Amino acid sequence: ESVAITLTVNQPLITPSITSPATTCSSDAIRFTVGNAAGDTYRWTLNGGAVVATGINYDIAAGSLAAGNYILGVYGENGSCSSTLVTQTITITDPSTLTIDTGLTGDAVCEGETFTITVSDTQSSNTTYTLSYAGGPQVKNSSTGQVTFTLSLATKSDISVVSTPSGGCNSTVTKTINI
């Protein structure tokens, strides 16, 4: 006597790839994407733990992960089959800290008087600093972690400096200058 057995053979799953930068800033939102999505269900893991997201994309909100190294993983599922887990190490870094020293008593200056500010940065890589204020933007480069700007104001104003390092995270500092 013979018995008929029916087998269903599923198509092999495509091993997914992760499309994203390997380094990002803790202050930035970032999206990781399955680079070769094939219609499977994708599961994302962090540091080898439980599934943290399902879908083609995995979004990390700004400020949700502390600075450090993490192992991001993704695998596909279709029916009872799973693909190989693919991992990527990601490095999260914190932005540097900027300070503005006006050298002015009470951060106050007379209307139209010229003064110089010193911007100090906790990092010292090749960085572009952009000063924004009522007189227009000024841009300078420095690799020492310090830069100076000379300006004058007609009224009480906020001045802001944004640092853009060649490799790293942008930072911003704002200070009110009294007249």
Side-chain angles (χ1 to χ4, degrees):
E1 173 178 333
S2 66
V3 176
I5 299 174
T6 303
L7 297 175
T8 302
V9 178
N10 294 326
Q11 291 293 325
L13 295 174
I14 295 174
T15 301
S17 65
I18 300 172
T19 303
S20 67
T23 301
T24 190
C25 301
S26 61
S27 57
D28 293 343
I30 186 164
R31 170 170 276 188
F32 295 91
T33 302
V34 173
N36 54 345
D40 302 323
T41 300
Y42 296 96
R43 311 250 187 242
W44 297 87
T45 64
L46 198 57
N47 290 336
V51 171
V52 293
T54 300
I56 293 174
N57 300 314
Y58 171 47
D59 296 317
I60 298 175
S64 65
L65 290 179
N69 292 321
Y70 298 87
I71 298 173
L72 180 65
V74 66
Y75 62 93
E77 287 183 340
N78 193 337
S80 61
C81 298
S82 294
S83 72
T84 302
L85 175 71
V86 174
T87 61
Q88 175 178 321
T89 299
I90 58 172
T91 301
I92 307 290
T93 57
D94 285 333
S96 63
T97 301
L98 299 175
T99 58
I100 296 175
D101 181 5
T102 65
L104 303 169
T105 302
D107 293 326
V109 66
C110 294
E111 178 183 338
E113 185 178 321
T114 299
F115 64 101
T116 300
I117 65 167
T118 301
V119 178
S120 297
D121 196 340
T122 55
Q123 61 83 38
S124 59
S125 66
N126 185 23
T127 302
T128 301
Y129 297 90
T130 304
L131 168 67
S132 299
Y133 70 108
Q138 292 184 37
V139 178
K140 292 191 176 180
N141 292 310
S142 176
S143 59
T144 65
Q146 198 170 67
V147 66
T148 60
F149 293 98
T150 301
L151 61 148
S152 65
L153 298 171
T155 61
K156 176 180 176 178
S157 297
D158 285 343
I159 60 172
S160 292
V161 177
V162 175
S163 70
T164 308
S166 59
C169 304
N170 293 359
S171 296
T172 303
V173 64
T174 301
K175 183 169 273 223
T176 300
I177 307 300
N178 300 301
I179 301 296

